[in-house]
Amino acid sequence: MVKKDAVIIGTGPAGISASLYLLRAGFSVMIVGMDGSALEKAEKIENYYGLAHPVSGRELLETGRKQAAALGGELVHDEVVGIVWHDGGFTVSMSRQKTDTRSVVIATGSPRRSVKIENLAELEGRGVSYCAVCDAFFYRGREVAVLGAGEYALHEVTELVDIASHVTVLTNGEEPTAPFPGRVAVIKTPVKRLLGADGLEGILLSDGRRIPAEGLFVALGSAGGSDLAKKLGLALVNNKIVVDRSMATALPGVFAAGDCIDGIQQVATAVAEGAVAGMSAIRFLRGKG
Ligand SMILES: Cc1cc2nc3c(=O)[nH]c(=O)nc-3n(C[C@H](O)[C@H](O)[C@H](O)COP(=O)(O)OP(=O)(O)OC[C@H]3O[C@@H](n4cnc5c(N)ncnc54)[C@H](O)[C@@H]3O)c2cc1C
């Protein structure tokens, strides 16, 4: 597997801005993103520097992505579903490929998905997990469930299926969009409540059925920045990734910028934070981090 100097997750203003610095410093950069940047929804931007006339959010995104590509950036349209740290770097898993990298910039924008299931928050860390790679081992030979319907949920299922005694996918009312293996039961009925106080004892569905599970792995929609941060054991406050002034997280080589960190959610701040993250990644890659 070819190892990149940097993988940037997110092709919005923060991720693209980080890439411009890394690319111009001569590093190999993969920039992975999907549709769904907040900027796609902005009809007119007129509060960003240098715009003589208002432009649409989509136009600004397109120009930024072309700029990164012109500098040699490898733009990949894919969903990042997992990330692991190991000695010497990181492996970033996407729905269609994996890549090794020396550094990572998380620029995934604001989390879009949240779920209201009774007792879910109370059982976090006591049966409810956000990382199959990290926690699957604790559930060997036990019954588990995965909450989700897409590629991200499939990634978690793949990590669990040979370890747990049985895996059930709970789509919580959604149509499944990923090819789940045949030996996994897929249930579309919405989830009402998680049972148990000190640990997960089962899952109650809205039709009154009870699904036996000692572990529930949450993988709704696509992985947001906070989900990826949890996989790396990074700190979150109000679901935002904690960084210092250089946009560095507590894990050397991992940086975050834009709407996925705390602050003003604007193009100008996303671009500025992306620039700082890019420059900090350069320092790290040059061994001065
Ligand atoms: C309706 C609306 C109007 C706005 N108007 C203005 C305005 O007038 N002026 C202004 O300054 N700001 C405006 N904003 C805010 C601005 O759009 C955001 O602050 C800015 O886009 C944040 O940039 P970002 O790069 O952090 O995140 P985003 O632009 O949201 O980009 C996030 C990127 O991460 C990718 N991503 C997420 N998860 C994954 C994953 N698992 N795998 C791969 N890729 C992933 C997404 O596909 C996307 O490419 C507006 C926002 C909205 C919603």
PDB file of all heavy atoms in Angstrom, residues 11-14 16-17 19-20 31 33-42 45 48 51 55-71 73 75 77 267:
ATOM      1  N   THR A  11     -13.677  17.691   1.893  1.00  0.00           N
ATOM      2  CA  THR A  11     -13.322  18.535   0.744  1.00  0.00           C
ATOM      3  C   THR A  11     -14.108  19.845   0.775  1.00  0.00           C
ATOM      4  O   THR A  11     -14.457  20.411  -0.249  1.00  0.00           O
ATOM      5  CB  THR A  11     -13.564  17.783  -0.592  1.00  0.00           C
ATOM      6  OG1 THR A  11     -14.863  17.181  -0.536  1.00  0.00           O
ATOM      7  CG2 THR A  11     -12.536  16.709  -0.840  1.00  0.00           C
ATOM      8  N   GLY A  12     -14.411  20.303   1.982  1.00  0.00           N
ATOM      9  CA  GLY A  12     -14.996  21.636   2.166  1.00  0.00           C
ATOM     10  C   GLY A  12     -13.865  22.656   2.307  1.00  0.00           C
ATOM     11  O   GLY A  12     -12.686  22.327   2.110  1.00  0.00           O
ATOM     12  N   PRO A  13     -14.191  23.904   2.661  1.00  0.00           N
ATOM     13  CA  PRO A  13     -13.169  24.950   2.752  1.00  0.00           C
ATOM     14  C   PRO A  13     -12.020  24.614   3.711  1.00  0.00           C
ATOM     15  O   PRO A  13     -10.860  24.917   3.410  1.00  0.00           O
ATOM     16  CB  PRO A  13     -13.937  26.176   3.257  1.00  0.00           C
ATOM     17  CG  PRO A  13     -15.370  25.849   3.192  1.00  0.00           C
ATOM     18  CD  PRO A  13     -15.553  24.400   2.899  1.00  0.00           C
ATOM     19  N   ALA A  14     -12.302  23.963   4.858  1.00  0.00           N
ATOM     20  CA  ALA A  14     -11.230  23.676   5.824  1.00  0.00           C
ATOM     21  C   ALA A  14     -10.258  22.642   5.259  1.00  0.00           C
ATOM     22  O   ALA A  14      -9.036  22.837   5.301  1.00  0.00           O
ATOM     23  CB  ALA A  14     -11.834  23.182   7.143  1.00  0.00           C
ATOM     24  N   ILE A  16      -9.784  21.668   2.080  1.00  0.00           N
ATOM     25  CA  ILE A  16      -9.081  22.132   0.871  1.00  0.00           C
ATOM     26  C   ILE A  16      -8.004  23.152   1.250  1.00  0.00           C
ATOM     27  O   ILE A  16      -6.878  23.102   0.746  1.00  0.00           O
ATOM     28  CB  ILE A  16     -10.084  22.730  -0.151  1.00  0.00           C
ATOM     29  CG1 ILE A  16     -11.007  21.632  -0.699  1.00  0.00           C
ATOM     30  CG2 ILE A  16      -9.348  23.463  -1.273  1.00  0.00           C
ATOM     31  CD1 ILE A  16     -10.334  20.547  -1.519  1.00  0.00           C
ATOM     32  N   SER A  17      -8.322  24.046   2.175  1.00  0.00           N
ATOM     33  CA  SER A  17      -7.327  25.044   2.586  1.00  0.00           C
ATOM     34  C   SER A  17      -6.095  24.349   3.184  1.00  0.00           C
ATOM     35  O   SER A  17      -4.950  24.700   2.852  1.00  0.00           O
ATOM     36  CB  SER A  17      -7.971  25.996   3.606  1.00  0.00           C
ATOM     37  OG  SER A  17      -7.019  26.831   4.178  1.00  0.00           O
ATOM     38  N   SER A  19      -5.022  21.437   2.486  1.00  0.00           N
ATOM     39  CA  SER A  19      -4.310  20.734   1.409  1.00  0.00           C
ATOM     40  C   SER A  19      -3.412  21.670   0.612  1.00  0.00           C
ATOM     41  O   SER A  19      -2.333  21.287   0.167  1.00  0.00           O
ATOM     42  CB  SER A  19      -5.302  20.029   0.468  1.00  0.00           C
ATOM     43  OG  SER A  19      -5.868  20.946  -0.456  1.00  0.00           O
ATOM     44  N   LEU A  20      -3.832  22.927   0.442  1.00  0.00           N
ATOM     45  CA  LEU A  20      -3.053  23.863  -0.391  1.00  0.00           C
ATOM     46  C   LEU A  20      -1.659  24.066   0.190  1.00  0.00           C
ATOM     47  O   LEU A  20      -0.661  24.099  -0.533  1.00  0.00           O
ATOM     48  CB  LEU A  20      -3.773  25.223  -0.496  1.00  0.00           C
ATOM     49  CG  LEU A  20      -5.195  25.187  -1.071  1.00  0.00           C
ATOM     50  CD1 LEU A  20      -5.795  26.595  -1.094  1.00  0.00           C
ATOM     51  CD2 LEU A  20      -5.206  24.578  -2.471  1.00  0.00           C
ATOM     52  N   ILE A  31      -7.096  13.806  -0.538  1.00  0.00           N
ATOM     53  CA  ILE A  31      -8.191  14.578   0.078  1.00  0.00           C
ATOM     54  C   ILE A  31      -9.479  13.815  -0.217  1.00  0.00           C
ATOM     55  O   ILE A  31      -9.887  13.691  -1.377  1.00  0.00           O
ATOM     56  CB  ILE A  31      -8.276  16.008  -0.508  1.00  0.00           C
ATOM     57  CG1 ILE A  31      -6.863  16.604  -0.643  1.00  0.00           C
ATOM     58  CG2 ILE A  31      -9.137  16.914   0.365  1.00  0.00           C
ATOM     59  CD1 ILE A  31      -6.731  17.596  -1.775  1.00  0.00           C
ATOM     60  N   GLY A  33     -13.519  13.158   0.248  1.00  0.00           N
ATOM     61  CA  GLY A  33     -14.767  13.835   0.613  1.00  0.00           C
ATOM     62  C   GLY A  33     -15.948  13.260  -0.125  1.00  0.00           C
ATOM     63  O   GLY A  33     -15.800  12.471  -1.069  1.00  0.00           O
ATOM     64  N   MET A  34     -17.101  13.659   0.349  1.00  0.00           N
ATOM     65  CA  MET A  34     -18.345  13.229  -0.296  1.00  0.00           C
ATOM     66  C   MET A  34     -19.147  14.494  -0.586  1.00  0.00           C
ATOM     67  O   MET A  34     -18.718  15.602  -0.301  1.00  0.00           O
ATOM     68  CB  MET A  34     -19.155  12.370   0.668  1.00  0.00           C
ATOM     69  CG  MET A  34     -18.411  11.192   1.234  1.00  0.00           C
ATOM     70  SD  MET A  34     -19.462  10.295   2.372  1.00  0.00           S
ATOM     71  CE  MET A  34     -19.644  11.460   3.702  1.00  0.00           C
ATOM     72  N   ASP A  35     -20.373  14.294  -1.082  1.00  0.00           N
ATOM     73  CA  ASP A  35     -21.281  15.428  -1.172  1.00  0.00           C
ATOM     74  C   ASP A  35     -21.693  15.766   0.259  1.00  0.00           C
ATOM     75  O   ASP A  35     -21.501  14.968   1.161  1.00  0.00           O
ATOM     76  CB  ASP A  35     -22.517  15.045  -1.988  1.00  0.00           C
ATOM     77  CG  ASP A  35     -22.130  14.669  -3.407  1.00  0.00           C
ATOM     78  OD1 ASP A  35     -21.072  15.134  -3.866  1.00  0.00           O
ATOM     79  OD2 ASP A  35     -22.869  13.895  -4.037  1.00  0.00           O
ATOM     80  N   GLY A  36     -22.280  16.914   0.454  1.00  0.00           N
ATOM     81  CA  GLY A  36     -22.828  17.215   1.772  1.00  0.00           C
ATOM     82  C   GLY A  36     -22.068  18.271   2.546  1.00  0.00           C
ATOM     83  O   GLY A  36     -22.304  18.435   3.740  1.00  0.00           O
ATOM     84  N   SER A  37     -21.156  19.025   1.874  1.00  0.00           N
ATOM     85  CA  SER A  37     -20.548  20.173   2.560  1.00  0.00           C
ATOM     86  C   SER A  37     -21.649  21.170   2.917  1.00  0.00           C
ATOM     87  O   SER A  37     -22.591  21.376   2.134  1.00  0.00           O
ATOM     88  CB  SER A  37     -19.536  20.840   1.621  1.00  0.00           C
ATOM     89  OG  SER A  37     -19.350  22.190   1.977  1.00  0.00           O
ATOM     90  N   ALA A  38     -21.517  21.819   4.072  1.00  0.00           N
ATOM     91  CA  ALA A  38     -22.488  22.853   4.469  1.00  0.00           C
ATOM     92  C   ALA A  38     -22.587  23.930   3.395  1.00  0.00           C
ATOM     93  O   ALA A  38     -23.647  24.502   3.155  1.00  0.00           O
ATOM     94  CB  ALA A  38     -22.065  23.466   5.795  1.00  0.00           C
ATOM     95  N   LEU A  39     -21.475  24.160   2.705  1.00  0.00           N
ATOM     96  CA  LEU A  39     -21.414  25.229   1.710  1.00  0.00           C
ATOM     97  C   LEU A  39     -22.334  24.957   0.499  1.00  0.00           C
ATOM     98  O   LEU A  39     -22.777  25.887  -0.162  1.00  0.00           O
ATOM     99  CB  LEU A  39     -19.959  25.382   1.248  1.00  0.00           C
ATOM    100  CG  LEU A  39     -19.489  26.721   0.714  1.00  0.00           C
ATOM    101  CD1 LEU A  39     -19.930  27.870   1.594  1.00  0.00           C
ATOM    102  CD2 LEU A  39     -17.973  26.717   0.561  1.00  0.00           C
ATOM    103  N   GLU A  40     -22.629  23.686   0.263  1.00  0.00           N
ATOM    104  CA  GLU A  40     -23.541  23.367  -0.854  1.00  0.00           C
ATOM    105  C   GLU A  40     -24.905  24.021  -0.654  1.00  0.00           C
ATOM    106  O   GLU A  40     -25.645  24.252  -1.595  1.00  0.00           O
ATOM    107  CB  GLU A  40     -23.757  21.853  -0.940  1.00  0.00           C
ATOM    108  CG  GLU A  40     -22.590  21.104  -1.515  1.00  0.00           C
ATOM    109  CD  GLU A  40     -22.735  19.592  -1.345  1.00  0.00           C
ATOM    110  OE1 GLU A  40     -23.864  19.102  -1.173  1.00  0.00           O
ATOM    111  OE2 GLU A  40     -21.692  18.927  -1.367  1.00  0.00           O
ATOM    112  N   LYS A  41     -25.240  24.251   0.614  1.00  0.00           N
ATOM    113  CA  LYS A  41     -26.586  24.785   0.923  1.00  0.00           C
ATOM    114  C   LYS A  41     -26.609  26.311   0.891  1.00  0.00           C
ATOM    115  O   LYS A  41     -27.668  26.916   0.973  1.00  0.00           O
ATOM    116  CB  LYS A  41     -27.034  24.303   2.302  1.00  0.00           C
ATOM    117  CG  LYS A  41     -27.098  22.792   2.402  1.00  0.00           C
ATOM    118  CD  LYS A  41     -27.600  22.363   3.770  1.00  0.00           C
ATOM    119  CE  LYS A  41     -27.338  20.898   4.009  1.00  0.00           C
ATOM    120  NZ  LYS A  41     -26.026  20.595   4.606  1.00  0.00           N
ATOM    121  N   ALA A  42     -25.441  26.934   0.806  1.00  0.00           N
ATOM    122  CA  ALA A  42     -25.380  28.401   0.843  1.00  0.00           C
ATOM    123  C   ALA A  42     -25.630  28.955  -0.557  1.00  0.00           C
ATOM    124  O   ALA A  42     -24.849  28.742  -1.476  1.00  0.00           O
ATOM    125  CB  ALA A  42     -24.021  28.853   1.363  1.00  0.00           C
ATOM    126  N   ILE A  45     -22.667  33.658  -1.186  1.00  0.00           N
ATOM    127  CA  ILE A  45     -21.659  34.032  -0.175  1.00  0.00           C
ATOM    128  C   ILE A  45     -21.160  35.427  -0.558  1.00  0.00           C
ATOM    129  O   ILE A  45     -20.684  35.636  -1.679  1.00  0.00           O
ATOM    130  CB  ILE A  45     -20.459  33.045  -0.198  1.00  0.00           C
ATOM    131  CG1 ILE A  45     -20.918  31.607   0.065  1.00  0.00           C
ATOM    132  CG2 ILE A  45     -19.391  33.470   0.809  1.00  0.00           C
ATOM    133  CD1 ILE A  45     -21.300  31.289   1.459  1.00  0.00           C
ATOM    134  N   TYR A  48     -17.110  36.733   2.355  1.00  0.00           N
ATOM    135  CA  TYR A  48     -15.768  36.157   2.326  1.00  0.00           C
ATOM    136  C   TYR A  48     -14.859  37.068   1.507  1.00  0.00           C
ATOM    137  O   TYR A  48     -15.271  37.576   0.456  1.00  0.00           O
ATOM    138  CB  TYR A  48     -15.822  34.733   1.737  1.00  0.00           C
ATOM    139  CG  TYR A  48     -14.478  34.036   1.790  1.00  0.00           C
ATOM    140  CD1 TYR A  48     -13.854  33.803   3.009  1.00  0.00           C
ATOM    141  CD2 TYR A  48     -13.826  33.657   0.616  1.00  0.00           C
ATOM    142  CE1 TYR A  48     -12.620  33.194   3.057  1.00  0.00           C
ATOM    143  CE2 TYR A  48     -12.583  33.043   0.662  1.00  0.00           C
ATOM    144  CZ  TYR A  48     -11.992  32.819   1.890  1.00  0.00           C
ATOM    145  OH  TYR A  48     -10.760  32.231   1.952  1.00  0.00           O
ATOM    146  N   LEU A  51     -14.385  38.653  -2.871  1.00  0.00           N
ATOM    147  CA  LEU A  51     -15.485  38.406  -3.807  1.00  0.00           C
ATOM    148  C   LEU A  51     -16.101  39.743  -4.225  1.00  0.00           C
ATOM    149  O   LEU A  51     -16.832  40.368  -3.448  1.00  0.00           O
ATOM    150  CB  LEU A  51     -16.554  37.514  -3.158  1.00  0.00           C
ATOM    151  CG  LEU A  51     -16.085  36.155  -2.638  1.00  0.00           C
ATOM    152  CD1 LEU A  51     -17.233  35.420  -1.955  1.00  0.00           C
ATOM    153  CD2 LEU A  51     -15.518  35.313  -3.783  1.00  0.00           C
ATOM    154  N   VAL A  55     -20.991  34.896  -4.725  1.00  0.00           N
ATOM    155  CA  VAL A  55     -20.959  33.626  -5.497  1.00  0.00           C
ATOM    156  C   VAL A  55     -21.737  32.582  -4.715  1.00  0.00           C
ATOM    157  O   VAL A  55     -21.933  32.700  -3.505  1.00  0.00           O
ATOM    158  CB  VAL A  55     -19.518  33.110  -5.747  1.00  0.00           C
ATOM    159  CG1 VAL A  55     -18.683  34.077  -6.528  1.00  0.00           C
ATOM    160  CG2 VAL A  55     -18.831  32.741  -4.441  1.00  0.00           C
ATOM    161  N   SER A  56     -22.165  31.548  -5.418  1.00  0.00           N
ATOM    162  CA  SER A  56     -22.896  30.485  -4.722  1.00  0.00           C
ATOM    163  C   SER A  56     -21.894  29.623  -3.961  1.00  0.00           C
ATOM    164  O   SER A  56     -20.707  29.538  -4.323  1.00  0.00           O
ATOM    165  CB  SER A  56     -23.671  29.632  -5.724  1.00  0.00           C
ATOM    166  OG  SER A  56     -22.768  28.814  -6.441  1.00  0.00           O
ATOM    167  N   GLY A  57     -22.379  28.969  -2.908  1.00  0.00           N
ATOM    168  CA  GLY A  57     -21.525  28.072  -2.137  1.00  0.00           C
ATOM    169  C   GLY A  57     -20.936  26.983  -3.015  1.00  0.00           C
ATOM    170  O   GLY A  57     -19.753  26.639  -2.913  1.00  0.00           O
ATOM    171  N   ARG A  58     -21.768  26.449  -3.906  1.00  0.00           N
ATOM    172  CA  ARG A  58     -21.296  25.373  -4.799  1.00  0.00           C
ATOM    173  C   ARG A  58     -20.138  25.835  -5.680  1.00  0.00           C
ATOM    174  O   ARG A  58     -19.188  25.112  -5.910  1.00  0.00           O
ATOM    175  CB  ARG A  58     -22.454  24.900  -5.700  1.00  0.00           C
ATOM    176  CG  ARG A  58     -23.371  23.950  -4.999  1.00  0.00           C
ATOM    177  CD  ARG A  58     -24.407  23.354  -5.936  1.00  0.00           C
ATOM    178  NE  ARG A  58     -25.313  22.523  -5.189  1.00  0.00           N
ATOM    179  CZ  ARG A  58     -25.077  21.265  -4.859  1.00  0.00           C
ATOM    180  NH1 ARG A  58     -23.967  20.678  -5.251  1.00  0.00           N
ATOM    181  NH2 ARG A  58     -25.954  20.574  -4.158  1.00  0.00           N
ATOM    182  N   GLU A  59     -20.249  27.086  -6.174  1.00  0.00           N
ATOM    183  CA  GLU A  59     -19.198  27.626  -7.049  1.00  0.00           C
ATOM    184  C   GLU A  59     -17.881  27.759  -6.275  1.00  0.00           C
ATOM    185  O   GLU A  59     -16.810  27.403  -6.769  1.00  0.00           O
ATOM    186  CB  GLU A  59     -19.668  28.988  -7.557  1.00  0.00           C
ATOM    187  CG  GLU A  59     -18.952  29.467  -8.796  1.00  0.00           C
ATOM    188  CD  GLU A  59     -19.474  30.846  -9.227  1.00  0.00           C
ATOM    189  OE1 GLU A  59     -20.642  31.178  -8.955  1.00  0.00           O
ATOM    190  OE2 GLU A  59     -18.668  31.580  -9.837  1.00  0.00           O
ATOM    191  N   LEU A  60     -17.991  28.247  -5.035  1.00  0.00           N
ATOM    192  CA  LEU A  60     -16.798  28.421  -4.199  1.00  0.00           C
ATOM    193  C   LEU A  60     -16.146  27.071  -3.913  1.00  0.00           C
ATOM    194  O   LEU A  60     -14.920  26.925  -3.962  1.00  0.00           O
ATOM    195  CB  LEU A  60     -17.205  29.121  -2.895  1.00  0.00           C
ATOM    196  CG  LEU A  60     -16.129  29.855  -2.102  1.00  0.00           C
ATOM    197  CD1 LEU A  60     -15.388  30.862  -2.956  1.00  0.00           C
ATOM    198  CD2 LEU A  60     -16.778  30.565  -0.901  1.00  0.00           C
ATOM    199  N   LEU A  61     -16.979  26.061  -3.646  1.00  0.00           N
ATOM    200  CA  LEU A  61     -16.458  24.708  -3.393  1.00  0.00           C
ATOM    201  C   LEU A  61     -15.724  24.175  -4.615  1.00  0.00           C
ATOM    202  O   LEU A  61     -14.630  23.633  -4.530  1.00  0.00           O
ATOM    203  CB  LEU A  61     -17.621  23.739  -3.118  1.00  0.00           C
ATOM    204  CG  LEU A  61     -18.141  23.629  -1.694  1.00  0.00           C
ATOM    205  CD1 LEU A  61     -19.374  22.742  -1.673  1.00  0.00           C
ATOM    206  CD2 LEU A  61     -17.078  23.074  -0.759  1.00  0.00           C
ATOM    207  N   GLU A  62     -16.377  24.341  -5.765  1.00  0.00           N
ATOM    208  CA  GLU A  62     -15.820  23.831  -7.027  1.00  0.00           C
ATOM    209  C   GLU A  62     -14.462  24.471  -7.313  1.00  0.00           C
ATOM    210  O   GLU A  62     -13.494  23.798  -7.678  1.00  0.00           O
ATOM    211  CB  GLU A  62     -16.831  24.140  -8.149  1.00  0.00           C
ATOM    212  CG  GLU A  62     -16.873  23.162  -9.292  1.00  0.00           C
ATOM    213  CD  GLU A  62     -16.707  21.706  -8.869  1.00  0.00           C
ATOM    214  OE1 GLU A  62     -17.448  21.212  -7.999  1.00  0.00           O
ATOM    215  OE2 GLU A  62     -15.781  21.083  -9.420  1.00  0.00           O
ATOM    216  N   THR A  63     -14.381  25.796  -7.129  1.00  0.00           N
ATOM    217  CA  THR A  63     -13.122  26.512  -7.384  1.00  0.00           C
ATOM    218  C   THR A  63     -12.023  26.005  -6.454  1.00  0.00           C
ATOM    219  O   THR A  63     -10.887  25.782  -6.877  1.00  0.00           O
ATOM    220  CB  THR A  63     -13.318  28.032  -7.142  1.00  0.00           C
ATOM    221  OG1 THR A  63     -14.537  28.414  -7.729  1.00  0.00           O
ATOM    222  CG2 THR A  63     -12.199  28.857  -7.711  1.00  0.00           C
ATOM    223  N   GLY A  64     -12.369  25.819  -5.172  1.00  0.00           N
ATOM    224  CA  GLY A  64     -11.378  25.340  -4.204  1.00  0.00           C
ATOM    225  C   GLY A  64     -10.873  23.960  -4.573  1.00  0.00           C
ATOM    226  O   GLY A  64      -9.659  23.684  -4.518  1.00  0.00           O
ATOM    227  N   ARG A  65     -11.780  23.087  -4.944  1.00  0.00           N
ATOM    228  CA  ARG A  65     -11.376  21.707  -5.288  1.00  0.00           C
ATOM    229  C   ARG A  65     -10.499  21.696  -6.543  1.00  0.00           C
ATOM    230  O   ARG A  65      -9.513  20.958  -6.611  1.00  0.00           O
ATOM    231  CB  ARG A  65     -12.625  20.831  -5.460  1.00  0.00           C
ATOM    232  CG  ARG A  65     -13.312  20.580  -4.121  1.00  0.00           C
ATOM    233  CD  ARG A  65     -14.667  19.943  -4.237  1.00  0.00           C
ATOM    234  NE  ARG A  65     -15.297  19.888  -2.910  1.00  0.00           N
ATOM    235  CZ  ARG A  65     -16.556  19.555  -2.704  1.00  0.00           C
ATOM    236  NH1 ARG A  65     -17.354  19.241  -3.711  1.00  0.00           N
ATOM    237  NH2 ARG A  65     -17.055  19.525  -1.477  1.00  0.00           N
ATOM    238  N   LYS A  66     -10.842  22.548  -7.526  1.00  0.00           N
ATOM    239  CA  LYS A  66     -10.016  22.645  -8.749  1.00  0.00           C
ATOM    240  C   LYS A  66      -8.624  23.147  -8.395  1.00  0.00           C
ATOM    241  O   LYS A  66      -7.622  22.711  -8.962  1.00  0.00           O
ATOM    242  CB  LYS A  66     -10.673  23.597  -9.755  1.00  0.00           C
ATOM    243  CG  LYS A  66     -11.761  22.933 -10.573  1.00  0.00           C
ATOM    244  CD  LYS A  66     -12.245  23.874 -11.653  1.00  0.00           C
ATOM    245  CE  LYS A  66     -13.460  23.299 -12.357  1.00  0.00           C
ATOM    246  NZ  LYS A  66     -14.342  24.330 -12.879  1.00  0.00           N
ATOM    247  N   GLN A  67      -8.556  24.088  -7.470  1.00  0.00           N
ATOM    248  CA  GLN A  67      -7.267  24.663  -7.042  1.00  0.00           C
ATOM    249  C   GLN A  67      -6.391  23.568  -6.423  1.00  0.00           C
ATOM    250  O   GLN A  67      -5.195  23.463  -6.746  1.00  0.00           O
ATOM    251  CB  GLN A  67      -7.566  25.755  -5.998  1.00  0.00           C
ATOM    252  CG  GLN A  67      -6.392  26.609  -5.611  1.00  0.00           C
ATOM    253  CD  GLN A  67      -6.816  27.662  -4.574  1.00  0.00           C
ATOM    254  OE1 GLN A  67      -7.977  27.726  -4.162  1.00  0.00           O
ATOM    255  NE2 GLN A  67      -5.871  28.472  -4.165  1.00  0.00           N
ATOM    256  N   ALA A  68      -6.978  22.713  -5.574  1.00  0.00           N
ATOM    257  CA  ALA A  68      -6.206  21.622  -4.944  1.00  0.00           C
ATOM    258  C   ALA A  68      -5.753  20.614  -5.997  1.00  0.00           C
ATOM    259  O   ALA A  68      -4.612  20.125  -5.966  1.00  0.00           O
ATOM    260  CB  ALA A  68      -7.046  20.937  -3.871  1.00  0.00           C
ATOM    261  N   ALA A  69      -6.645  20.324  -6.951  1.00  0.00           N
ATOM    262  CA  ALA A  69      -6.290  19.350  -7.996  1.00  0.00           C
ATOM    263  C   ALA A  69      -5.163  19.903  -8.871  1.00  0.00           C
ATOM    264  O   ALA A  69      -4.227  19.188  -9.242  1.00  0.00           O
ATOM    265  CB  ALA A  69      -7.516  19.018  -8.847  1.00  0.00           C
ATOM    266  N   ALA A  70      -5.221  21.219  -9.163  1.00  0.00           N
ATOM    267  CA  ALA A  70      -4.190  21.823 -10.009  1.00  0.00           C
ATOM    268  C   ALA A  70      -2.818  21.782  -9.341  1.00  0.00           C
ATOM    269  O   ALA A  70      -1.785  21.759 -10.010  1.00  0.00           O
ATOM    270  CB  ALA A  70      -4.574  23.279 -10.323  1.00  0.00           C
ATOM    271  N   LEU A  71      -2.797  21.741  -8.014  1.00  0.00           N
ATOM    272  CA  LEU A  71      -1.520  21.675  -7.289  1.00  0.00           C
ATOM    273  C   LEU A  71      -1.052  20.236  -7.083  1.00  0.00           C
ATOM    274  O   LEU A  71      -0.077  19.980  -6.389  1.00  0.00           O
ATOM    275  CB  LEU A  71      -1.654  22.374  -5.926  1.00  0.00           C
ATOM    276  CG  LEU A  71      -1.754  23.903  -5.972  1.00  0.00           C
ATOM    277  CD1 LEU A  71      -2.149  24.452  -4.605  1.00  0.00           C
ATOM    278  CD2 LEU A  71      -0.415  24.511  -6.410  1.00  0.00           C
ATOM    279  N   GLY A  73      -3.105  17.655  -5.853  1.00  0.00           N
ATOM    280  CA  GLY A  73      -3.854  16.925  -4.817  1.00  0.00           C
ATOM    281  C   GLY A  73      -4.648  15.780  -5.420  1.00  0.00           C
ATOM    282  O   GLY A  73      -5.214  15.919  -6.503  1.00  0.00           O
ATOM    283  N   LEU A  75      -7.803  14.057  -5.245  1.00  0.00           N
ATOM    284  CA  LEU A  75      -9.145  14.179  -4.672  1.00  0.00           C
ATOM    285  C   LEU A  75      -9.911  12.884  -4.898  1.00  0.00           C
ATOM    286  O   LEU A  75     -10.022  12.420  -6.041  1.00  0.00           O
ATOM    287  CB  LEU A  75      -9.892  15.356  -5.298  1.00  0.00           C
ATOM    288  CG  LEU A  75      -9.490  16.699  -4.686  1.00  0.00           C
ATOM    289  CD1 LEU A  75      -8.660  17.517  -5.651  1.00  0.00           C
ATOM    290  CD2 LEU A  75     -10.710  17.484  -4.262  1.00  0.00           C
ATOM    291  N   HIS A  77     -13.507  10.823  -4.204  1.00  0.00           N
ATOM    292  CA  HIS A  77     -14.905  10.906  -3.771  1.00  0.00           C
ATOM    293  C   HIS A  77     -15.271   9.591  -3.105  1.00  0.00           C
ATOM    294  O   HIS A  77     -15.528   8.591  -3.769  1.00  0.00           O
ATOM    295  CB  HIS A  77     -15.811  11.184  -4.982  1.00  0.00           C
ATOM    296  CG  HIS A  77     -17.195  11.608  -4.575  1.00  0.00           C
ATOM    297  ND1 HIS A  77     -18.193  10.714  -4.335  1.00  0.00           N
ATOM    298  CD2 HIS A  77     -17.712  12.836  -4.341  1.00  0.00           C
ATOM    299  CE1 HIS A  77     -19.288  11.373  -3.968  1.00  0.00           C
ATOM    300  NE2 HIS A  77     -19.013  12.662  -3.981  1.00  0.00           N
ATOM    301  N   VAL A 267     -17.061  30.337   6.451  1.00  0.00           N
ATOM    302  CA  VAL A 267     -16.044  29.967   5.472  1.00  0.00           C
ATOM    303  C   VAL A 267     -14.689  30.557   5.880  1.00  0.00           C
ATOM    304  O   VAL A 267     -13.657  29.877   5.842  1.00  0.00           O
ATOM    305  CB  VAL A 267     -16.437  30.466   4.054  1.00  0.00           C
ATOM    306  CG1 VAL A 267     -15.336  30.160   3.064  1.00  0.00           C
ATOM    307  CG2 VAL A 267     -17.752  29.838   3.611  1.00  0.00           C
TER     308      VAL A 267
END
